[in-house]
Amino acid sequence: MSLTVELTKKDMRDVYVQALLDSAAERDDLVVLEADLTNSHNTARFGDAHPGRLVNCGITEANSVCVAAGLAASGFRPFLNLFACFASRRAFDQFFLSVNYAGQNVKLVGSDPGVLSQYNGGSHCALEDIAMMRAVPGLIVVEPSDTVSLYHLTRQLADCDRPAYLRLHRKGGAAVYGVDEEFSLGKGKVVADGTDVTLISAGHIMLAAALEARDKLAAVGISAAVLDILTIQPLDEELVLRYAKATGAVVTCENAHRAGGLGGAVAELLAREHPTRMRMVGVDCFGEVGTVASLMKDFGLTADDIVKAAL
């Protein structure tokens, strides 16, 4: 697909919109909803291409979920874009009941999760969203790590007949994967092989930190495998177990709370199937104001923190 060549040169939100455009060109039931964040998500492009299929619900996050549920009940496939703090904390009851409990095919997109909220501050720093969404029975929870994985997984979500939560990084996300890489919902990727410890990451900033940590560990004679989990729920249990058994040590790396997040998912699996030495690199506090780099340092999410956990 010639389009994928361009994916290596764009911000993640632009690639996300392109995936929506390409899916909407193939199916006329796909609609996009915003809660006054059209500029933040660059979805005006979608409205220009498909007039009448972009709905701005205004600053009514919880109600916009109900609008999306109503559209889904009427045969549409809504993608609703909110900041992650509002998608999780503010609209959770509506998403849980009107979408998931009711079995409506809505894709909820939470942008700028965790430290990516930066100067929007502690109130907007959604670190608990993974834990909340993992608690919803049967919900698909996805966190792409680069522009290429985001494009393909968004296209697959558009064709999927189940509710899902997509953790969207709006900016950055330079391509890690080649343009011919294949992706599947529910399947992770081996980004780098190793024999002594397994680093399991989610999202582009933590994958970058894990790869940097791998280099630092190699400098002291430790071989680290790096897994990009991509779909947090359902977890790629076969991949996690295979590497846990091979290396005997696991470190999870996430831009989220350790409790109930990716670390929780991996710990639950290992406790049940193959008890393994494990550490979690994640957050255990409320959010703050700052740059991504400063917040990663303050919250213990850097490559050096991953190295320390691995050691």
Side-chain angles (χ1 to χ4, degrees), residues 3 78 195 260 290:
L3 170 67
T195 57

Side-chain angles (χ1 to χ4, degrees), residues 8-9 16 36 43 104 135 144 181 206 218 227 257 268 295 304:
T8 62
K9 303 176 182 178
Y16 168 66
D36 207 30
T43 48
Q104 300 302 335
E181 190 76 26
M206 296 312 297
L227 307 184
H257 282 309
E268 291 162 17
L295 291 174
D304 287 339

Side-chain angles (χ1 to χ4, degrees), residues 228-273:
D228 180 10
I229 208 65
L230 293 166
T231 306
I232 298 169
Q233 182 167 286
L235 189 69
D236 190 342
E237 295 186 352
E238 184 278 328
L239 179 64
V240 172
L241 287 172
R242 174 156 46 97
Y243 272 83
K245 292 174 182 178
T247 63
V250 168
V251 178
T252 55
C253 316
E254 60 186 314
N255 170 31
H257 282 309
R258 293 188 294 270
L262 170 62
V266 172
E268 291 162 17
L269 170 65
L270 296 180
R272 185 175 70 245
E273 300 291 341

Side-chain angles (χ1 to χ4, degrees), residues 10 21 28 34 44 62 68 74 97 109-110 123 172 178 223-224 249 276:
K10 294 183 177 180
L21 286 167
D28 58 11
E34 290 283 355
S74 302
L97 290 175
V109 180
S123 63
S223 173
T276 305

Side-chain angles (χ1 to χ4, degrees), residues 130 141-146 149 153 167 169 174 176-177 183 186-192 197-214 224-236 239-240 243 249-257 261-267 278-282 296 300-303 305-307 309:
I130 296 177
V141 181
V142 179
E143 185 167 11
S145 59
D146 75 341
S149 61
L153 292 174
R167 223 173 182 237
H169 302 202
V176 173
Y177 297 103
F183 299 87
K187 295 296 182 182
K189 289 285 186 182
V190 180
V191 181
V197 62
T198 302
L199 311 179
I200 304 177
S201 71
H204 83 270
I205 61 172
M206 296 312 297
L207 178 58
L211 288 170
E212 182 183 348
R214 180 179 187 269
V226 178
L227 307 184
D228 180 10
I229 208 65
L230 293 166
T231 306
I232 298 169
Q233 182 167 286
L235 189 69
D236 190 342
L239 179 64
V240 172
Y243 272 83
V250 168
V251 178
T252 55
C253 316
E254 60 186 314
N255 170 31
H257 282 309
L262 170 62
V266 172
M278 180 180 173
R279 295 291 183 272
M280 301 180 191
V281 172
M296 289 183 72
L301 303 178
T302 67
D305 295 304
I306 298 173
V307 168

Side-chain angles (χ1 to χ4, degrees), residues 60-77:
T60 58
E61 293 87 0
N63 186 60
S64 67
V65 173
C66 296
V67 173
L71 286 168
S74 302
F76 292 96
R77 290 173 179 262

Side-chain angles (χ1 to χ4, degrees), residues 112 114-122 171 288-293 295:
D112 283 359
V115 301
L116 295 172
S117 62
Q118 298 196 85
Y119 294 117
N120 284 329
K171 300 179 181 179
E288 298 175 2
V289 175
T291 64
V292 169
L295 291 174

